[in-house]
Amino acid sequence: MEQSTDQRLDSRQRPPLIGPAVDDDISAAFAIVLAMTSSDHLLDLIRNTPEIDLLLRSSFGFDIHRSHYGEGLRLASGAPLEVIAGESAGGAYFLCAEQNGCRPVVFASSEGEGGLLADDLADALEIIIGLEWHDCLSFSGDGDVEVMQVSAQHLERSRDKYNPDIGNEAAQVAAALSLRIVPVSDLVVRLHAAASKTEPDYVVTDEDGQAFDPLFGEHLEPRLGGWR
């Protein structure tokens, strides 16, 4: 009995049921959904876990109830920013549009500094709970990672002195949100890498199109008295 054409074809020779172009479209759509789900899931966990919400707000300066901060800010490309949290000094955290399966996080201060903080919300929260990241950038010698490492060590000692429970609080947040407790030196490297990628894609602008200054500060240490 003569075999049919399909029977004679090896499985590797048979034409695919779904073409490469369709596969690519499905993969891209799945990546977008995954990115949105990941950040949305973390934000939902924070909203629905009052003790974690309170710790992030009071100890780490990430307040989802200040999501009106930063309204009207955009990226220089014209792409919109989604405000997800604010901090007591008037700064705001934003989610960007999906990129390669992730939604990058941008920060803009009330003093006109802004840029990329992390490649996704989980990475951003690990930096926020594990590092005095804003001062680490301020005292970076215009983005020198070695200066940042020195600053981070001084800042960590100061943080532990004024809030001896900060390590336990960070561990509590990490456990609730399935985050990692990352060594400070590694967080500095991640923070430096992210802030260094601010230009050209993550430059923040105000309603008049005025670009924010970089997150990297020029100083090596506090001007009054240095590190103590």
Side-chain angles (χ1 to χ4, degrees):
M1 179 174 168
E2 186 177 356
Q3 289 182 313
S4 68
T5 302
D6 282 346
Q7 288 176 318
R8 290 197 302 268
L9 283 174
D10 183 86
S11 61
R12 291 169 296 179
Q13 297 172 313
R14 290 173 184 166
L17 296 178
I18 300 178
V22 178
D23 283 342
D24 289 345
D25 289 343
I26 292 174
S27 297
F30 179 75
I32 292 172
V33 171
L34 184 63
M36 294 178 66
T37 302
S38 175
S39 43
D40 288 346
H41 176 63
L42 282 170
L43 292 171
D44 283 343
L45 280 176
I46 296 168
R47 292 187 193 100
N48 296 322
T49 315
E51 60 271 26
I52 299 305
D53 179 6
L54 177 60
L55 281 176
L56 282 170
R57 181 167 71 250
S58 60
S59 295
F60 301 106
F62 186 88
D63 186 351
I64 60 172
H65 304 283
R66 295 179 187 263
S67 57
H68 58 284
Y69 281 30
E71 290 180 351
L73 301 185
R74 303 174 67 85
L75 294 179
S77 64
L81 293 168
E82 178 186 347
V83 186
I84 55 170
E87 46 100 38
S88 59
Y93 297 90
F94 305 86
L95 284 176
C96 303
E98 182 271 333
Q99 293 284 339
N100 300 319
C102 299
R103 295 193 70 186
V105 176
V106 161
F107 178 82
S109 78
S110 60
E111 299 177 352
E113 301 159 340
L116 185 65
L117 178 60
D119 290 331
D120 61 28
L121 183 55
D123 278 359
L125 288 169
E126 288 175 355
I127 288 172
I128 289 166
I129 67 173
L131 180 66
E132 291 291 313
W133 68 269
H134 195 275
D135 285 341
C136 187
L137 287 169
S138 295
F139 303 114
S140 68
D142 282 328
D144 186 323
V145 69
E146 296 302 329
V147 173
M148 289 175 65
Q149 293 287 6
V150 172
S151 295
Q153 296 304 317
H154 287 290
L155 291 163
E156 183 182 27
R157 285 194 291 270
S158 177
R159 183 186 69 166
D160 292 345
K161 177 182 177 181
Y162 290 105
N163 185 357
D165 290 331
I166 194 72
N168 291 330
E169 292 172 348
Q172 188 176 345
V173 172
L177 302 182
S178 299
L179 304 174
R180 298 164 294 175
I181 295 297
V182 180
V184 167
S185 59
D186 292 345
L187 291 175
V188 169
V189 172
R190 280 167 46 178
L191 178 62
H192 178 268
S196 297
K197 293 190 296 184
T198 294
E199 294 185 9
D201 295 327
Y202 301 103
V203 175
V204 180
T205 63
D206 62 19
E207 294 175 333
D208 298 322
Q210 181 68 38
F212 277 43
D213 292 330
L215 290 172
F216 290 126
E218 63 180 1
H219 300 293
L220 304 180
E221 59 183 21
R223 285 174 288 180
L224 299 177
W227 295 115
R228 299 181 180 180

